[in-house]
Amino acid sequence: MTALPDDSWLHHLRPQPSRVTAEEYEALPEEICRAIEIVDGYVVYCEAPSPEHQTAARRLANLIEREAKAAMGRGHGCLTVNTDVDLRLRDVPLLNRRPDVVLYRCLDRERGERLRAEHALLVVEIVSPGSETQDTTDKFGEYAKAGVEHYWIVRLDGTGVSVIERYRLDHASTLYKHIETFMKDEPGDPPVLANPIPVTINWSELEL
């Protein structure tokens, strides 16, 4: 076996001494929480999203939020839409993700209610260079096992959102089933979705 050079950066790697608990995570300052996710109690550092990624998330959140307000106007219960917010999937070992966009039932802030999987109606992840495996495999399985009903995987091209893959939870298997894929360059009217709330995908609103 070849020994590492004395100046190799690998010599400076140190294992995380112990798993992070829910109580420890909740005591962290927000600026640290925004830069990490916790997977099975271990810290995973999140790369800062590109400006294009951030813009796409904001555009999607705005579109979904408008449709959520319309749904509430028709009698739907209180809904909230957020970007890059803590979503607790499991307490032990701690599993905490920060989806690009999440639509969820309004929380009882007076009781200190924390956003958990049972509140989430839809989670959206935007694929970036380097996040393909996380978004299509790791988080795909985690959100399903936690019981999140709807999951979208969104892809970008040079002009904005170009593909939206829709998945819905199969409760018997706790796995996602592919429902449909929308592509921006397909002819015809804008796609119209019925679940989890009615949403019309106007591609022009999702341009960068």
Side-chain angles (χ1 to χ4, degrees):
M1 181 183 295
T2 304
L4 289 170
D6 291 339
D7 60 351
S8 172
W9 60 272
L10 288 169
H11 287 299
H12 302 288
L13 288 178
R14 295 291 184 273
Q16 185 175 315
S18 61
R19 290 180 174 179
V20 175
T21 66
E23 293 76 16
E24 289 170 333
Y25 180 81
E26 289 161 13
L28 293 174
E30 176 61 21
E31 59 267 24
I32 292 179
C33 293
R34 282 198 299 266
I36 63 174
E37 293 178 317
I38 308 294
V39 179
D40 291 337
Y42 293 98
V43 173
V44 176
Y45 290 94
C46 304
E47 289 187 25
S50 69
E52 293 78 14
H53 186 115
Q54 294 181 62
T55 299
R58 188 173 70 251
R59 298 271 195 271
L60 277 163
N62 289 343
L63 186 152
I64 295 169
E65 184 174 50
R66 186 187 65 237
E67 301 284 20
K69 288 180 178 178
M72 287 189 288
R74 295 189 297 268
H76 197 290
C78 184
L79 297 169
T80 302
V81 178
N82 256 316
T83 60
D84 190 31
V85 65
D86 277 339
L87 173 60
R88 179 68 54 83
L89 301 177
R90 186 176 61 232
D91 284 321
V92 181
L94 183 59
L95 180 55
N96 205 85
R97 291 293 193 180
R98 297 183 69 90
D100 288 318
V101 183
V102 58
L103 167 70
Y104 57 97
R105 300 181 185 90
C106 295
L107 305 178
D108 187 339
R109 298 297 185 184
E110 292 186 1
R111 291 173 43 215
E113 198 169 30
R114 174 178 292 276
L115 177 58
R116 294 179 177 272
E118 58 262 32
H119 303 122
L121 302 180
L122 167 67
V123 164
V124 181
E125 294 287 1
I126 300 169
V127 176
S128 294
S131 76
E132 178 84 27
T133 299
Q134 279 198 36
D135 296 336
T136 63
T137 302
D138 300 341
K139 294 180 182 180
F140 188 89
E142 292 166 1
Y143 292 141
K145 292 296 183 186
V148 177
E149 188 77 17
H150 295 270
Y151 182 47
W152 293 2
I153 295 175
V154 173
R155 299 177 187 276
L156 308 179
D157 62 12
T159 64
V161 173
S162 61
V163 176
I164 297 175
E165 301 172 17
R166 293 184 62 222
Y167 298 87
R168 186 164 188 172
L169 184 65
D170 175 63
H171 292 274
S173 63
T174 62
L175 297 172
Y176 282 127
K177 288 189 174 181
H178 178 253
I179 302 301
E180 56 194 337
T181 295
F182 298 126
M183 293 184 285
K184 180 176 60 177
D185 57 3
E186 287 182 329
D189 296 329
V192 178
L193 291 59
N195 295 302
I197 59 172
V199 174
T200 299
I201 304 296
N202 291 309
W203 297 106
S204 61
E205 296 182 44
L206 304 178
E207 293 177 354
L208 298 177

